[in-house]
Amino acid sequence: MDNLSDTLKKLKITAVDRTDDSLEGCLDCLLQALAQNNMETSEKIQGSGILQLFASLLVPQSSCTAKVANIIAEIAKNEFMRIPCVDAGLISPLVQLLNSKDQEVLLQTGRALGNICYDSHEGRSAVDQAGGAQIVIDHLRSLCSKTDPANEKLLTVFCGMLMNYSNENDSLQAQLINMGVIPTLVKLLGIHCQNAALTEMCLVAFGNLAELESSKEQFASTNIAEELVKLFKKQIDHDKREMVFEVLAPLAENDAIKLQLVEAGLVECLLEIVQQKVDSDKEEDIAELKTASDLMVLLLLGDESMQKLFEGGKGNVFQRVLSWIPSNNHQLQLAGALAIANFARNDGNCIHMVDNGIVEKLMDLLDRHVEDGNVTVQHAALSALRNLAIPVVNKAKMLSAGVTEAVLKFLKSEMPPVQFKLLGTLRMLIDAQAEAAEQLGKNVKLVERLVEWCEAKDHAGVMGESNRLLSALIRHSKSKDVIKTIVQSGGIKHLVTMATSEHVIMQNEALVALALIAALELGTAEKDLESAKLVQILHTLLADERSAPEIKYNSMVLICALMGSESLHKEVQDLAFLDVVSKLRSHENKSVAQQASLTEQRLAVES
């Protein structure tokens, strides 16, 4: 270290005289000291004030330039040295050196800039202001096709520099994307796929950039899908495959890229991994099985990619996914059920799957998870059943297969995601199915649970679905017994509150259900309607200019139906409904205007 102090003193003198031979000796000494103890040597360099001198030594024509850049690259490995490098004014001369024709100078300059940028806001800012990124991208473009080892080493350093420059910085990543870095990196990956270090660097860069929404379109216009699948097929090593996965997952969120990945044969690779890993209990194999099956499900979220893999229900992929559902592996059960839910996104697919026995497979799966079951599997299987129940022709088939009974086993679940899907499935099943709606509506346990969930203020989704199912039971059954069950269970106040929902569709469903209650069982529900302040709510809905036409129409139908009750009739008279209703006779919607005339006559006669 004493030797180092001498070297630093000597360097100060020779740096001024610029005698290249003695300068080179000093620089070699520094590099040796850095190799032995980087941290301590860096501290000494900082303390000596020599950093400022380095700026003057970074000149293109000097034979020592590459060594100076190398020293800067070495000291910048230490976090505490990065800001001093910026403050010493080293960035601008380093960026100038990027225009050099000397390969060693370029290599060491790229390393120095990359290390200064690592995790350093100040470093990145300085490189940004000096315009370093554009020069490096231009180099990548021009050197892209050369496959000699020295050139590949330089390309790797430049990729690493851009990565350190933009890592976790959205605005700098966006800048690189605008400079067109993505097509260049994709081309690099294609040409240099035999070079492990460069390939790895490209993957990490893709992983960073792919998180940015604006990158997806650029990626979609390249052959990234093909290159990644080609690379993926070659990887035997778990960690390497993991790296490719980390790029695939964010890219596969884009529908165009989903389709490209499917066409490039990614699905076959994923199915193979699942087959290889399914029986393993090694931690990394379990993790890889999850990643592969999750990615498979993600690919099915795109309409085109999903339909391509469905192949009319005859496709190999669809059949393999079906075989996951009865497996004993929870991860595969989950992925299988989610995949079915994704295949069930159009009527044709749903009808085909129900006709080919998928419902029984899903019910068997649910049955295995009733007691202390896996919540994610329950949720996924219910999602699939809900989607399958959407086409009208499937409802009766699913009801006769016993789906309601299978679903009702989860009424006791305390998990909001399961509750939410359970409610949605039942609501889909009873749509226009009077008998099923009546049967469910007379099920006291179910109705009491719905009333309880209508108060689940912490879970808006569960609360909304419970209200909608209560209303659906009445609307589709039109049954007095169902209404009586709902009144006895305390459900009326929730239907009245639902009429004030911010969602027009829910308001409307509530008003239609309340009109049926008033028409069929007004005497039974009278007290509850009164204490829930229904009449005041209807007055507000009719007076509010923002209420949708169908809300105004159904509110007036309901007012007429309430006239059969003495106490509610009196409330209607006290609130001067005639004024509000007569204004609606000139409403631009014909149905509203006609209903206003009828309601006005009814109110006039009754008063």
Side-chain angles (χ1 to χ4, degrees):
M1 280 299 156
D2 294 342
N3 200 356
L4 178 62
S5 304
D6 295 343
T7 303
L8 289 169
K9 281 179 199 156
K10 194 173 171 193
L11 189 57
K12 277 187 182 171
I13 302 159
T14 49
V16 179
D17 299 345
R18 289 282 172 85
T19 43
D20 274 9
D21 291 349
S22 48
L23 187 58
E24 201 151 339
C26 293
L27 296 174
D28 285 338
C29 269
L30 276 191
L31 282 168
Q32 263 176 338
L34 283 163
Q36 282 161 9
N37 190 332
N38 190 315
M39 199 170 180
E40 203 177 318
T41 306
S42 297
E43 283 169 350
K44 287 240 171 165
I45 290 173
Q46 191 189 0
S48 72
I50 200 122
L51 273 183
Q52 281 74 9
L53 280 179
F54 283 167
S56 63
L57 295 177
L58 291 168
V59 285
Q61 53 276 42
S62 163
S63 60
C64 298
T65 305
K67 282 184 180 167
V68 178
N70 187 357
I71 290 169
I72 297 168
E74 288 302 316
I75 60 176
K77 286 178 178 176
N78 301 289
E79 192 181 347
F80 65 87
M81 290 300 291
R82 289 170 200 150
I83 292 176
C85 284
V86 175
D87 293 343
L90 300 182
I91 302 298
S92 185
L94 282 169
V95 169
Q96 290 306 310
L97 286 178
L98 288 172
N99 297 306
S100 166
K101 297 279 182 283
D102 183 311
Q103 200 154 20
E104 184 62 17
V105 169
L106 286 175
L107 185 77
Q108 299 304 344
T109 303
R111 285 184 61 232
L113 288 170
N115 290 351
I116 292 169
C117 285
Y118 186 79
D119 235 354
S120 163
H121 169 71
E122 293 76 8
R124 291 167 181 184
S125 255
V127 174
D128 179 22
Q129 281 161 9
Q134 185 66 65
I135 305 172
V136 171
I137 291 176
D138 292 342
H139 274 305
L140 289 177
R141 272 197 203 110
S142 63
L143 300 172
C144 186
S145 315
K146 296 180 182 169
T147 54
D148 58 284
N151 189 60
E152 288 194 323
K153 195 173 173 188
L154 183 57
L155 288 170
T156 307
V157 165
F158 280 157
C159 282
M161 184 236 142
L162 289 180
M163 209 171 63
N164 287 353
Y165 171 71
S166 65
N167 189 30
E168 290 181 1
N169 184 313
D170 287 0
S171 65
L172 292 180
Q173 285 176 356
Q175 180 198 72
L176 295 184
I177 291 166
N178 292 335
M179 288 175 176
V181 75
I182 288 173
T184 306
L185 289 174
V186 174
K187 197 172 163 191
L188 267 183
L189 183 66
I191 295 171
H192 303 274
C193 56
Q194 302 303 330
N195 184 305
L198 185 48
T199 299
E200 211 163 291
M201 214 47 104
C202 285
L203 287 175
V204 180
F206 290 147
N208 286 345
L209 296 169
E211 297 293 339
L212 222 63
E213 215 33 61
S214 58
S215 74
K216 306 269 169 55
E217 276 176 39
Q218 273 216 30
F219 274 118
S221 65
T222 69
N223 64 336
I224 182 80
E226 205 181 312
E227 293 298 353
L228 287 174
V229 173
K230 218 163 40 182
L231 188 66
F232 190 76
K233 284 177 178 170
K234 284 200 326 220
Q235 304 307 328
I236 310 150
D237 182 46
H238 167 80
D239 292 340
K240 292 281 188 334
R241 274 211 296 249
E242 192 63 33
M243 282 189 83
V244 184
F245 269 137
E246 279 170 17
V247 180
L248 287 169
L251 285 180
E253 286 166 16
N254 175 280
D255 282 359
I257 299 175
K258 280 186 184 78
L259 187 59
Q260 291 168 7
L261 289 168
V262 167
E263 287 171 341
L266 178 61
V267 173
E268 288 72 14
C269 300
L270 298 176
L271 289 172
E272 204 174 309
I273 286 177
V274 168
Q275 203 170 351
Q276 287 166 5
K277 311 291 179 187
V278 68
D279 298 318
S280 169
D281 47 13
K282 277 165 55 184
E283 214 168 291
E284 63 174 34
D285 289 346
I286 294 167
E288 197 164 0
L289 175 79
K290 179 177 175 359
T291 309
S293 53
D294 284 350
L295 186 50
M296 180 80 203
V297 172
L298 181 58
L299 292 175
L300 292 173
L301 277 172
D303 288 338
E304 281 187 84
S305 51
M306 176 273 288
Q307 212 49 47
K308 190 173 176 64
L309 294 171
F310 189 64
E311 290 182 66
K314 306 272 189 294
N316 168 42
V317 173
F318 174 64
Q319 296 302 331
R320 291 276 286 277
V321 165
L322 272 189
S323 73
W324 293 355
I325 293 173
S327 99
N328 290 319
N329 182 304
H330 280 186
Q331 174 57 34
L332 280 195
Q333 293 170 359
L334 170 64
L338 287 172
I340 297 302
N342 285 343
F343 279 126
R345 285 211 313 278
N346 64 50
D347 284 6
N349 292 4
C350 289
I351 293 163
H352 177 89
M353 287 192 279
V354 168
D355 287 346
N356 284 277
I358 189 65
V359 170
E360 289 70 16
K361 282 190 171 72
L362 289 167
M363 289 194 328
D364 287 347
L365 177 61
L366 275 176
D367 232 23
R368 294 161 71 182
H369 288 277
V370 175
E371 297 304 326
D372 308 320
N374 181 306
V375 174
T376 51
V377 174
Q378 293 170 359
H379 179 260
L382 288 167
S383 297
L385 287 171
R386 182 198 171 280
N387 288 2
L388 290 165
I390 293 172
V392 178
V393 294
N394 280 358
K395 296 180 198 295
K397 292 174 189 170
M398 290 175 73
L399 288 165
S400 62
V403 173
T404 37
E405 293 77 5
V407 169
L408 285 172
K409 289 176 187 171
F410 294 91
L411 255 191
K412 55 183 184 290
S413 171
E414 293 303 329
M415 306 305 289
V418 174
Q419 296 166 353
F420 180 72
K421 287 296 176 189
L422 172 150
L423 293 163
T425 307
L426 291 176
R427 189 166 61 78
M428 284 301 160
L429 281 170
I430 62 164
D431 191 7
Q433 307 295 310
E435 201 180 316
E438 181 163 12
Q439 204 182 341
L440 279 178
K442 291 192 292 192
N443 179 331
V444 179
K445 266 189 181 163
L446 169 66
V447 174
E448 284 177 347
R449 194 71 160 129
L450 291 183
V451 171
E452 183 192 327
W453 286 341
C454 282
E455 289 169 6
K457 300 250 183 321
D458 296 343
H459 302 287
V462 172
M463 198 164 89
E465 275 293 347
S466 303
N467 278 304
R468 293 189 76 184
L469 184 53
L470 265 187
S471 151
L473 292 170
I474 296 168
R475 288 183 296 111
H476 298 304
S477 71
K478 300 182 177 60
S479 151
K480 291 183 170 209
D481 289 339
V482 170
I483 294 169
K484 282 177 190 162
T485 308
I486 289 173
V487 172
Q488 281 154 13
S489 304
I492 296 297
K493 63 180 179 193
H494 297 300
L495 290 169
V496 175
T497 307
M498 183 180 167
T500 64
S501 163
E502 55 186 340
H503 305 290
V504 173
I505 191 163
M506 284 175 70
Q507 279 186 295
N508 217 21
E509 287 171 359
L511 291 168
V512 172
L514 289 164
L516 283 164
I517 292 169
L520 298 169
E521 274 298 326
L522 187 54
T524 314
E526 185 178 47
K527 279 195 172 61
D528 288 353
L529 293 170
E530 227 175 302
S531 60
K533 308 219 176 338
L534 173 63
V535 175
Q536 288 92 315
I537 285 169
L538 292 173
H539 189 276
T540 307
L541 289 175
L542 287 171
D544 188 346
E545 287 177 5
R546 292 164 305 179
S547 294
E550 59 267 43
I551 301 303
K552 292 192 187 304
Y553 178 88
N554 283 323
S555 296
M556 289 188 282
V557 169
L558 183 47
I559 287 294
C560 295
L562 295 176
M563 294 304 213
S565 150
E566 207 174 307
S567 55
L568 292 166
H569 184 176
K570 187 176 179 312
E571 281 192 28
V572 171
Q573 282 177 312
D574 292 349
L575 271 175
F577 264 83
L578 262 171
D579 301 350
V580 184
V581 171
S582 59
K583 282 181 190 162
L584 293 173
R585 280 194 339 218
S586 56
H587 196 277
E588 57 188 2
N589 183 297
K590 275 191 184 146
S591 303
V592 172
Q594 281 172 342
Q595 187 58 40
S597 298
L598 293 171
T599 308
E600 189 179 39
Q601 286 166 24
R602 183 78 189 268
L603 288 169
V605 170
E606 300 281 352
S607 61

